[in-house]
Amino acid sequence: MNVTRLLCAGLLALIPLAGHAGTPLTPKEALDYQRVGDLHFSPDGRQLAFVALSYDWDWQQHLRVLDVASGAAREITPAGKTERAPRWSPDGTRLAFLSNRGGKTQVYVMAAAGGEPTALTDRKNGVADFRWSPDGRSIACLARSDDAPDEDSGPQIADSDSALERLWIVDVASKASRALATPGYRIDEFAWRGADALLLLATNAPRVEEFNTAVYDIATTGGPPRLVAHPPQPMEALAVSPDGARFAVRATRANGPLARDLFVGAVGGGDPRDATAGLDRTIVETRWHAPGTIWARVSDGFFYRLYRIDLGGKATAIGLPLSAGSFDVARDGSIAFVGEDFTHPAQIFLRAPDGRIRPLGRLAQPAAAHLARTTIFTTRSFDGLPIEAALMTPPASKGKSPLILLVHGGPSSKFAAQYGWETAWAEMLASHGYAVLMVNPRGSDGYGEDFVKANRADWGGGDYRDLMAVLDAVIARGGVDPARLGIGGWSYGGEMSEWAIGQSDRFKAAVVGAGVFDQAAEFETEHDPAGDEWYFGTPWENPDVFARNSPSSHIRDAHTPALIFDGADDASNPVGQSKGLYRALKHFGVETQLVLYPGEGHSPRKGADNIDMFQRILDWYDRHLAAQD
């Protein structure tokens, strides 16, 4: 343990600490960062493929390959295109990935040493996902049939079987393809378990909009899917052991709302078993490269940790100096991981089998020069429940600072020690003289099963009181002006902002992004209602629950000026929710403004739209809270 601490301390000494620059962040500067994910070692461990995203590219995914020895990375993706899902062939000679460089998204293959990629598939409607066969001679891919109805024109028949994606086997040498017999199944995930069989996460009742997937086995030689297991719901992240004898999924031992526990089962049948029963934290990402060991990234408060989990249930923490982002494990035990926290911007690192850690290349992170001082602390809420929060403070200024209470999305999400979109919002405000409070109230991920379930059918109850309890504790410490408080957030954070201004006049400005105004109307129009059904049931059976949890029920008491944002094509919290809030505030004479972004969904991706949004956010708070340098 002492050696690990010394190694970690040495590594941190090599990483430049970011601090406030003299000039406040502009919206463009705040959004000038890269996120990295989907790390994959080549079989020989000499190369690392990964995906990077940036608002400079309108949040399109770009594929890069890094040489582990030198740290040099080469860009694979052409300008204006998006590429993702890098997968090395089993022998390591080729790299396959999904790309839209030729139009519709297809599987492309290139030599591991480089060269021009070539298309392996030519599906009329594109490819959603793919996997190499164990012998490298075939790929399985998920795609709609070429004769499926066009999603962009003509009559659209809801829940049509012809619109379901099917599983295809493509011969790599000849590019010939054939469909497996999966009519009437919606396939969410798949993985090879041998040369002639795959496991599926699928449902045979796709019209039922509930958590109802199961694990199926299907032979590539013919025949329908065979039911293998029905782990607890919800369920996702299918993985197969290297010997093909077992499978793992993320499910939940306590009935939702997150697929947070690691269940392992035998392909031959029998109930899968929770391999992480002693680890009451959410499994975020897994790698299974040795039959008896699964590596996992785990959500723990504001941080993410790495664990090595044996199938007997023992979980061993891997010592890292930073919060862990995406990762992969090489055959020799080396770990590539994205490391970051509130002080250090995201970079890729390599942890050798002896525990030594070194930077692996260098990601450009211009926004990091403005990182604010951020303190993580815990406060007891109204009922004594400990609530963790982070306070971002502005540069030294005269007098008390205005404060913005940011609320994260989800609700079963969290604020994390990293530079992401919500953090960029906070960093921009801090550089302009605002204190920014980020709270993980009950219902947040990273604090155990009971905690994440604590706001079931109670959005705006205990969670809202947690937010207010932490806010009051910060005000009591001094340094914050209680007369200049703002609130804001996106999705669930937007909904809590709507809720707050209907409960209290203490906030002088609110920013509401893509929130829910009327729970019943949202349930009836959103893309995937299964999660909301876990929280509330259905509005036709529990109308009182939906009304009790809707900001619309209290909006007549709102007086706080509110700036509202949404994507015009939002399918998660449909844009009618934002329009409803806007109409209600106008009706009651509350100052409000609605800004919609054409062509954008629930989370706007275009850099120009995000820059515009950040500028409007800053101007709105400045106008109503009069921040002073």
Side-chain angles (χ1 to χ4, degrees), residues 484-538:
R484 292 191 292 160
L485 300 178
I487 191 169
W490 201 268
S491 194
Y492 167 78
E495 180 176 347
M496 279 296 100
S497 299
E498 299 175 41
W499 181 272
I501 65 174
Q503 304 294 317
S504 170
D505 290 338
R506 69 189 305 182
F507 298 106
K508 306 308 177 187
V511 173
V512 178
V516 174
F517 183 56
D518 184 319
Q519 293 287 2
E522 194 251 359
F523 184 93
E524 292 167 345
T525 56
E526 66 183 321
H527 170 65
D528 185 1
D532 283 351
E533 184 168 352
W534 182 89
Y535 280 102
F536 307 125
T538 71

Short mmCIF file of all heavy atoms in Angstrom, two decimals, residues 484-538:
data_model
loop_
_atom_site.label_atom_id
_atom_site.label_comp_id
_atom_site.label_asym_id
_atom_site.label_seq_id
_atom_site.Cartn_x
_atom_site.Cartn_y
_atom_site.Cartn_z
N ARG A 484 -28.74 36.35 -3.72
CA ARG A 484 -28.40 36.17 -5.15
C ARG A 484 -28.16 34.69 -5.43
O ARG A 484 -27.05 34.25 -5.66
CB ARG A 484 -27.17 37.00 -5.51
CG ARG A 484 -27.40 38.50 -5.46
CD ARG A 484 -26.25 39.27 -6.08
NE ARG A 484 -25.03 39.16 -5.28
CZ ARG A 484 -23.81 39.40 -5.76
NH1 ARG A 484 -23.63 39.70 -7.02
NH2 ARG A 484 -22.76 39.30 -4.96
N LEU A 485 -29.26 33.94 -5.41
CA LEU A 485 -29.20 32.51 -5.66
C LEU A 485 -29.88 32.18 -6.99
O LEU A 485 -30.94 32.72 -7.30
CB LEU A 485 -29.92 31.73 -4.54
CG LEU A 485 -29.40 31.89 -3.12
CD1 LEU A 485 -30.27 31.08 -2.16
CD2 LEU A 485 -27.93 31.46 -3.02
N GLY A 486 -29.26 31.30 -7.74
CA GLY A 486 -29.85 30.80 -8.97
C GLY A 486 -29.89 29.28 -8.93
O GLY A 486 -29.25 28.63 -8.10
N ILE A 487 -30.65 28.69 -9.83
CA ILE A 487 -30.75 27.24 -9.94
C ILE A 487 -30.79 26.88 -11.41
O ILE A 487 -31.20 27.68 -12.26
CB ILE A 487 -32.00 26.70 -9.20
CG1 ILE A 487 -31.95 25.18 -9.10
CG2 ILE A 487 -33.28 27.19 -9.87
CD1 ILE A 487 -33.01 24.59 -8.17
N GLY A 488 -30.34 25.67 -11.73
CA GLY A 488 -30.37 25.25 -13.12
C GLY A 488 -30.01 23.78 -13.27
O GLY A 488 -29.47 23.15 -12.35
N GLY A 489 -30.33 23.22 -14.42
CA GLY A 489 -29.99 21.83 -14.70
C GLY A 489 -30.62 21.37 -15.99
O GLY A 489 -31.43 22.08 -16.61
N TRP A 490 -30.26 20.17 -16.38
CA TRP A 490 -30.76 19.59 -17.63
C TRP A 490 -31.46 18.27 -17.34
O TRP A 490 -31.04 17.52 -16.47
CB TRP A 490 -29.59 19.35 -18.58
CG TRP A 490 -30.02 19.26 -20.02
CD1 TRP A 490 -30.36 18.14 -20.71
CD2 TRP A 490 -30.17 20.35 -20.93
NE1 TRP A 490 -30.72 18.45 -22.00
CE2 TRP A 490 -30.62 19.80 -22.17
CE3 TRP A 490 -29.99 21.73 -20.84
CZ2 TRP A 490 -30.86 20.59 -23.30
CZ3 TRP A 490 -30.24 22.51 -21.96
CH2 TRP A 490 -30.66 21.94 -23.16
N SER A 491 -32.53 17.99 -18.06
CA SER A 491 -33.29 16.76 -17.93
C SER A 491 -33.91 16.69 -16.52
O SER A 491 -34.69 17.55 -16.15
CB SER A 491 -32.41 15.55 -18.25
OG SER A 491 -33.18 14.38 -18.44
N TYR A 492 -33.54 15.68 -15.71
CA TYR A 492 -34.03 15.66 -14.33
C TYR A 492 -33.59 16.93 -13.60
O TYR A 492 -34.34 17.47 -12.77
CB TYR A 492 -33.50 14.42 -13.62
CG TYR A 492 -33.67 14.42 -12.11
CD1 TYR A 492 -34.89 14.12 -11.53
CD2 TYR A 492 -32.59 14.71 -11.29
CE1 TYR A 492 -35.04 14.13 -10.14
CE2 TYR A 492 -32.72 14.71 -9.91
CZ TYR A 492 -33.94 14.42 -9.34
OH TYR A 492 -34.08 14.42 -7.97
N GLY A 493 -32.39 17.44 -13.92
CA GLY A 493 -31.95 18.70 -13.31
C GLY A 493 -32.83 19.86 -13.71
O GLY A 493 -33.10 20.76 -12.91
N GLY A 494 -33.29 19.85 -14.97
CA GLY A 494 -34.24 20.87 -15.39
C GLY A 494 -35.57 20.73 -14.68
O GLY A 494 -36.20 21.72 -14.27
N GLU A 495 -36.01 19.48 -14.51
CA GLU A 495 -37.27 19.24 -13.81
C GLU A 495 -37.20 19.71 -12.36
O GLU A 495 -38.15 20.32 -11.85
CB GLU A 495 -37.61 17.75 -13.86
CG GLU A 495 -38.89 17.40 -13.17
CD GLU A 495 -39.26 15.93 -13.31
OE1 GLU A 495 -38.64 15.24 -14.15
OE2 GLU A 495 -40.15 15.46 -12.58
N MET A 496 -36.07 19.43 -11.69
CA MET A 496 -35.94 19.89 -10.31
C MET A 496 -35.88 21.42 -10.23
O MET A 496 -36.33 22.02 -9.24
CB MET A 496 -34.68 19.28 -9.68
CG MET A 496 -34.83 17.86 -9.18
SD MET A 496 -36.02 17.70 -7.80
CE MET A 496 -37.47 17.11 -8.70
N SER A 497 -35.35 22.05 -11.26
CA SER A 497 -35.34 23.51 -11.29
C SER A 497 -36.76 24.04 -11.42
O SER A 497 -37.14 25.02 -10.76
CB SER A 497 -34.47 24.01 -12.45
OG SER A 497 -33.14 23.57 -12.30
N GLU A 498 -37.58 23.40 -12.29
CA GLU A 498 -38.99 23.76 -12.39
C GLU A 498 -39.70 23.57 -11.05
O GLU A 498 -40.50 24.40 -10.62
CB GLU A 498 -39.69 22.89 -13.43
CG GLU A 498 -39.17 22.97 -14.83
CD GLU A 498 -39.87 21.97 -15.74
OE1 GLU A 498 -41.10 21.82 -15.60
OE2 GLU A 498 -39.21 21.34 -16.58
N TRP A 499 -39.40 22.42 -10.43
CA TRP A 499 -40.04 22.10 -9.16
C TRP A 499 -39.69 23.15 -8.10
O TRP A 499 -40.56 23.63 -7.36
CB TRP A 499 -39.61 20.72 -8.71
CG TRP A 499 -40.22 20.28 -7.42
CD1 TRP A 499 -39.75 20.50 -6.16
CD2 TRP A 499 -41.46 19.57 -7.26
NE1 TRP A 499 -40.60 19.98 -5.22
CE2 TRP A 499 -41.66 19.39 -5.87
CE3 TRP A 499 -42.39 19.06 -8.14
CZ2 TRP A 499 -42.78 18.73 -5.35
CZ3 TRP A 499 -43.50 18.41 -7.63
CH2 TRP A 499 -43.69 18.24 -6.25
N ALA A 500 -38.41 23.52 -8.04
CA ALA A 500 -37.94 24.42 -7.00
C ALA A 500 -38.61 25.79 -7.08
O ALA A 500 -38.98 26.37 -6.05
CB ALA A 500 -36.42 24.57 -7.08
N ILE A 501 -38.78 26.31 -8.29
CA ILE A 501 -39.38 27.65 -8.40
C ILE A 501 -40.87 27.62 -8.11
O ILE A 501 -41.47 28.69 -7.88
CB ILE A 501 -39.09 28.29 -9.77
CG1 ILE A 501 -39.76 27.51 -10.90
CG2 ILE A 501 -37.59 28.40 -9.99
CD1 ILE A 501 -39.63 28.17 -12.26
N GLY A 502 -41.48 26.43 -8.09
CA GLY A 502 -42.86 26.31 -7.67
C GLY A 502 -43.02 26.10 -6.18
O GLY A 502 -44.14 26.09 -5.66
N GLN A 503 -41.89 25.90 -5.49
CA GLN A 503 -41.89 25.67 -4.04
C GLN A 503 -41.39 26.86 -3.25
O GLN A 503 -41.72 27.00 -2.08
CB GLN A 503 -41.00 24.45 -3.72
CG GLN A 503 -41.36 23.19 -4.45
CD GLN A 503 -42.71 22.63 -4.05
OE1 GLN A 503 -43.06 22.61 -2.86
NE2 GLN A 503 -43.49 22.19 -5.03
N SER A 504 -40.54 27.70 -3.89
CA SER A 504 -39.86 28.74 -3.13
C SER A 504 -39.54 29.92 -4.05
O SER A 504 -39.32 29.74 -5.25
CB SER A 504 -38.56 28.18 -2.53
OG SER A 504 -37.76 29.20 -1.99
N ASP A 505 -39.49 31.10 -3.45
CA ASP A 505 -39.08 32.30 -4.18
C ASP A 505 -37.63 32.68 -3.88
O ASP A 505 -37.19 33.78 -4.26
CB ASP A 505 -39.99 33.49 -3.81
CG ASP A 505 -41.39 33.33 -4.36
OD1 ASP A 505 -41.56 32.58 -5.33
OD2 ASP A 505 -42.32 33.96 -3.80
N ARG A 506 -36.88 31.79 -3.25
CA ARG A 506 -35.52 32.14 -2.85
C ARG A 506 -34.59 32.25 -4.05
O ARG A 506 -33.55 32.92 -3.98
CB ARG A 506 -34.99 31.15 -1.83
CG ARG A 506 -34.74 29.76 -2.37
CD ARG A 506 -34.42 28.76 -1.26
NE ARG A 506 -33.30 29.19 -0.43
CZ ARG A 506 -32.79 28.48 0.57
NH1 ARG A 506 -33.34 27.30 0.88
NH2 ARG A 506 -31.78 28.93 1.25
N PHE A 507 -34.92 31.58 -5.16
CA PHE A 507 -34.07 31.67 -6.35
C PHE A 507 -34.51 32.84 -7.21
O PHE A 507 -35.71 33.01 -7.51
CB PHE A 507 -34.14 30.36 -7.15
CG PHE A 507 -33.64 29.18 -6.38
CD1 PHE A 507 -34.52 28.24 -5.86
CD2 PHE A 507 -32.28 29.01 -6.15
CE1 PHE A 507 -34.07 27.15 -5.15
CE2 PHE A 507 -31.81 27.92 -5.42
CZ PHE A 507 -32.70 26.99 -4.92
N LYS A 508 -33.55 33.64 -7.64
CA LYS A 508 -33.85 34.84 -8.41
C LYS A 508 -33.72 34.61 -9.91
O LYS A 508 -34.08 35.49 -10.71
CB LYS A 508 -32.91 35.98 -7.98
CG LYS A 508 -32.94 36.24 -6.48
CD LYS A 508 -34.36 36.43 -5.95
CE LYS A 508 -34.40 36.62 -4.44
NZ LYS A 508 -35.79 36.64 -3.90
N ALA A 509 -33.20 33.45 -10.32
CA ALA A 509 -33.10 33.11 -11.73
C ALA A 509 -33.00 31.60 -11.84
O ALA A 509 -32.38 30.94 -11.01
CB ALA A 509 -31.89 33.77 -12.38
N ALA A 510 -33.64 31.05 -12.88
CA ALA A 510 -33.59 29.61 -13.12
C ALA A 510 -33.29 29.34 -14.59
O ALA A 510 -33.73 30.09 -15.47
CB ALA A 510 -34.93 28.96 -12.74
N VAL A 511 -32.55 28.26 -14.84
CA VAL A 511 -32.31 27.78 -16.20
C VAL A 511 -32.82 26.34 -16.25
O VAL A 511 -32.38 25.49 -15.47
CB VAL A 511 -30.83 27.85 -16.58
CG1 VAL A 511 -30.60 27.17 -17.93
CG2 VAL A 511 -30.35 29.29 -16.62
N VAL A 512 -33.76 26.08 -17.15
CA VAL A 512 -34.42 24.78 -17.24
C VAL A 512 -34.11 24.16 -18.60
O VAL A 512 -34.55 24.66 -19.63
CB VAL A 512 -35.95 24.92 -17.07
CG1 VAL A 512 -36.62 23.57 -17.22
CG2 VAL A 512 -36.27 25.56 -15.72
N GLY A 513 -33.35 23.08 -18.60
CA GLY A 513 -33.00 22.41 -19.84
C GLY A 513 -33.73 21.09 -19.99
O GLY A 513 -33.56 20.19 -19.16
N ALA A 514 -34.57 20.95 -21.02
CA ALA A 514 -35.19 19.68 -21.41
C ALA A 514 -35.79 18.94 -20.23
O ALA A 514 -35.59 17.74 -20.06
CB ALA A 514 -34.18 18.80 -22.13
N GLY A 515 -36.53 19.64 -19.42
CA GLY A 515 -37.12 19.04 -18.23
C GLY A 515 -38.48 18.41 -18.49
O GLY A 515 -39.02 18.45 -19.60
N VAL A 516 -39.06 17.82 -17.44
CA VAL A 516 -40.41 17.26 -17.48
C VAL A 516 -41.32 18.21 -16.71
O VAL A 516 -41.05 18.55 -15.56
CB VAL A 516 -40.47 15.86 -16.86
CG1 VAL A 516 -41.91 15.37 -16.79
CG2 VAL A 516 -39.63 14.88 -17.68
N PHE A 517 -42.41 18.61 -17.36
CA PHE A 517 -43.37 19.52 -16.73
C PHE A 517 -44.58 18.75 -16.22
O PHE A 517 -45.02 18.94 -15.10
CB PHE A 517 -43.79 20.59 -17.75
CG PHE A 517 -44.72 21.62 -17.22
CD1 PHE A 517 -44.38 22.38 -16.11
CD2 PHE A 517 -45.95 21.87 -17.84
CE1 PHE A 517 -45.24 23.36 -15.62
CE2 PHE A 517 -46.81 22.84 -17.36
CZ PHE A 517 -46.45 23.59 -16.25
N ASP A 518 -45.10 17.86 -17.03
CA ASP A 518 -46.27 17.06 -16.69
C ASP A 518 -45.91 15.59 -16.86
O ASP A 518 -45.73 15.10 -17.98
CB ASP A 518 -47.43 17.44 -17.62
CG ASP A 518 -48.73 16.73 -17.29
OD1 ASP A 518 -48.69 15.51 -16.98
OD2 ASP A 518 -49.80 17.36 -17.36
N GLN A 519 -45.80 14.85 -15.74
CA GLN A 519 -45.31 13.48 -15.80
C GLN A 519 -46.22 12.58 -16.65
O GLN A 519 -45.74 11.72 -17.39
CB GLN A 519 -45.21 12.89 -14.38
CG GLN A 519 -44.15 13.52 -13.50
CD GLN A 519 -42.74 13.10 -13.90
OE1 GLN A 519 -42.53 12.37 -14.86
NE2 GLN A 519 -41.77 13.58 -13.14
N ALA A 520 -47.51 12.75 -16.57
CA ALA A 520 -48.42 11.89 -17.33
C ALA A 520 -48.27 12.12 -18.82
O ALA A 520 -48.17 11.17 -19.61
CB ALA A 520 -49.86 12.13 -16.89
N ALA A 521 -48.24 13.38 -19.24
CA ALA A 521 -48.11 13.68 -20.66
C ALA A 521 -46.75 13.22 -21.18
O ALA A 521 -46.64 12.74 -22.32
CB ALA A 521 -48.28 15.19 -20.89
N GLU A 522 -45.74 13.34 -20.36
CA GLU A 522 -44.41 12.89 -20.79
C GLU A 522 -44.39 11.38 -20.96
O GLU A 522 -43.85 10.85 -21.94
CB GLU A 522 -43.36 13.32 -19.77
CG GLU A 522 -41.93 13.21 -20.27
CD GLU A 522 -41.15 12.10 -19.62
OE1 GLU A 522 -41.72 11.42 -18.75
OE2 GLU A 522 -39.98 11.89 -19.98
N PHE A 523 -44.97 10.65 -20.03
CA PHE A 523 -45.02 9.19 -20.10
C PHE A 523 -45.70 8.73 -21.39
O PHE A 523 -45.28 7.77 -22.03
CB PHE A 523 -45.77 8.63 -18.89
CG PHE A 523 -45.80 7.13 -18.81
CD1 PHE A 523 -44.82 6.45 -18.08
CD2 PHE A 523 -46.78 6.40 -19.45
CE1 PHE A 523 -44.83 5.07 -18.00
CE2 PHE A 523 -46.81 5.01 -19.36
CZ PHE A 523 -45.83 4.35 -18.64
N GLU A 524 -46.73 9.44 -21.79
CA GLU A 524 -47.52 9.03 -22.96
C GLU A 524 -46.86 9.39 -24.28
O GLU A 524 -47.30 8.91 -25.33
CB GLU A 524 -48.90 9.68 -22.87
CG GLU A 524 -49.73 9.13 -21.72
CD GLU A 524 -50.97 9.94 -21.41
OE1 GLU A 524 -51.06 11.10 -21.88
OE2 GLU A 524 -51.85 9.42 -20.71
N THR A 525 -45.79 10.17 -24.27
CA THR A 525 -45.18 10.61 -25.52
C THR A 525 -43.68 10.35 -25.61
O THR A 525 -43.10 10.50 -26.68
CB THR A 525 -45.42 12.11 -25.75
OG1 THR A 525 -44.92 12.85 -24.61
CG2 THR A 525 -46.90 12.40 -25.92
N GLU A 526 -43.03 9.94 -24.51
CA GLU A 526 -41.58 9.75 -24.53
C GLU A 526 -41.21 8.48 -25.29
O GLU A 526 -42.01 7.58 -25.51
CB GLU A 526 -41.03 9.69 -23.11
CG GLU A 526 -41.49 8.48 -22.31
CD GLU A 526 -40.99 8.49 -20.88
OE1 GLU A 526 -39.83 8.89 -20.68
OE2 GLU A 526 -41.75 8.11 -19.98
N HIS A 527 -39.93 8.38 -25.65
CA HIS A 527 -39.44 7.26 -26.45
C HIS A 527 -39.47 5.94 -25.69
O HIS A 527 -39.89 4.92 -26.22
CB HIS A 527 -38.02 7.56 -26.93
CG HIS A 527 -37.34 6.39 -27.56
ND1 HIS A 527 -37.79 5.83 -28.75
CD2 HIS A 527 -36.27 5.65 -27.18
CE1 HIS A 527 -37.01 4.80 -29.07
NE2 HIS A 527 -36.09 4.68 -28.14
N ASP A 528 -39.02 5.94 -24.44
CA ASP A 528 -38.89 4.69 -23.69
C ASP A 528 -39.43 4.91 -22.28
O ASP A 528 -38.73 5.44 -21.42
CB ASP A 528 -37.43 4.26 -23.66
CG ASP A 528 -37.22 2.91 -23.00
OD1 ASP A 528 -38.22 2.30 -22.57
OD2 ASP A 528 -36.06 2.45 -22.90
N PRO A 529 -40.66 4.47 -21.98
CA PRO A 529 -41.28 4.76 -20.69
C PRO A 529 -40.97 3.75 -19.59
O PRO A 529 -41.45 3.91 -18.46
CB PRO A 529 -42.77 4.73 -21.02
CG PRO A 529 -42.87 3.68 -22.08
CD PRO A 529 -41.61 3.80 -22.91
N ALA A 530 -40.16 2.70 -19.87
CA ALA A 530 -39.97 1.64 -18.89
C ALA A 530 -39.38 2.16 -17.58
O ALA A 530 -39.77 1.74 -16.49
CB ALA A 530 -39.09 0.53 -19.46
N GLY A 531 -38.42 3.07 -17.68
CA GLY A 531 -37.81 3.61 -16.47
C GLY A 531 -38.80 4.39 -15.63
O GLY A 531 -38.87 4.23 -14.40
N ASP A 532 -39.61 5.23 -16.28
CA ASP A 532 -40.60 6.00 -15.54
C ASP A 532 -41.66 5.10 -14.93
O ASP A 532 -42.20 5.40 -13.86
CB ASP A 532 -41.26 7.04 -16.45
CG ASP A 532 -40.36 8.24 -16.69
OD1 ASP A 532 -39.33 8.35 -16.01
OD2 ASP A 532 -40.68 9.07 -17.56
N GLU A 533 -41.96 3.99 -15.60
CA GLU A 533 -42.93 3.06 -15.03
C GLU A 533 -42.39 2.46 -13.75
O GLU A 533 -43.15 2.20 -12.80
CB GLU A 533 -43.29 1.96 -16.03
CG GLU A 533 -44.37 1.04 -15.51
CD GLU A 533 -44.95 0.12 -16.57
OE1 GLU A 533 -44.62 0.30 -17.76
OE2 GLU A 533 -45.74 -0.78 -16.21
N TRP A 534 -41.08 2.23 -13.68
CA TRP A 534 -40.50 1.72 -12.43
C TRP A 534 -40.72 2.73 -11.31
O TRP A 534 -41.05 2.36 -10.18
CB TRP A 534 -39.00 1.43 -12.60
CG TRP A 534 -38.41 0.86 -11.35
CD1 TRP A 534 -38.32 -0.45 -11.01
CD2 TRP A 534 -37.85 1.60 -10.25
NE1 TRP A 534 -37.74 -0.59 -9.76
CE2 TRP A 534 -37.45 0.66 -9.28
CE3 TRP A 534 -37.65 2.95 -9.99
CZ2 TRP A 534 -36.85 1.03 -8.07
CZ3 TRP A 534 -37.07 3.32 -8.79
CH2 TRP A 534 -36.67 2.36 -7.84
N TYR A 535 -40.52 4.02 -11.61
CA TYR A 535 -40.65 5.04 -10.57
C TYR A 535 -42.10 5.31 -10.18
O TYR A 535 -42.41 5.49 -9.00
CB TYR A 535 -40.03 6.35 -11.06
CG TYR A 535 -38.53 6.41 -10.94
CD1 TYR A 535 -37.72 6.23 -12.05
CD2 TYR A 535 -37.92 6.64 -9.71
CE1 TYR A 535 -36.34 6.28 -11.95
CE2 TYR A 535 -36.53 6.69 -9.59
CZ TYR A 535 -35.75 6.52 -10.71
OH TYR A 535 -34.38 6.56 -10.60
N PHE A 536 -43.02 5.34 -11.15
CA PHE A 536 -44.36 5.86 -10.88
C PHE A 536 -45.50 4.90 -11.20
O PHE A 536 -46.65 5.20 -10.85
CB PHE A 536 -44.60 7.14 -11.71
CG PHE A 536 -43.54 8.19 -11.55
CD1 PHE A 536 -42.89 8.70 -12.66
CD2 PHE A 536 -43.20 8.67 -10.31
CE1 PHE A 536 -41.91 9.68 -12.54
CE2 PHE A 536 -42.22 9.64 -10.16
CZ PHE A 536 -41.57 10.15 -11.27
N GLY A 537 -45.23 3.79 -11.86
CA GLY A 537 -46.32 2.99 -12.41
C GLY A 537 -46.77 3.60 -13.72
O GLY A 537 -45.98 4.16 -14.47
N THR A 538 -48.07 3.55 -14.02
CA THR A 538 -48.59 4.19 -15.22
C THR A 538 -49.58 5.27 -14.82
O THR A 538 -50.23 5.19 -13.77
CB THR A 538 -49.31 3.18 -16.14
OG1 THR A 538 -50.54 2.78 -15.54
CG2 THR A 538 -48.43 1.96 -16.40
#
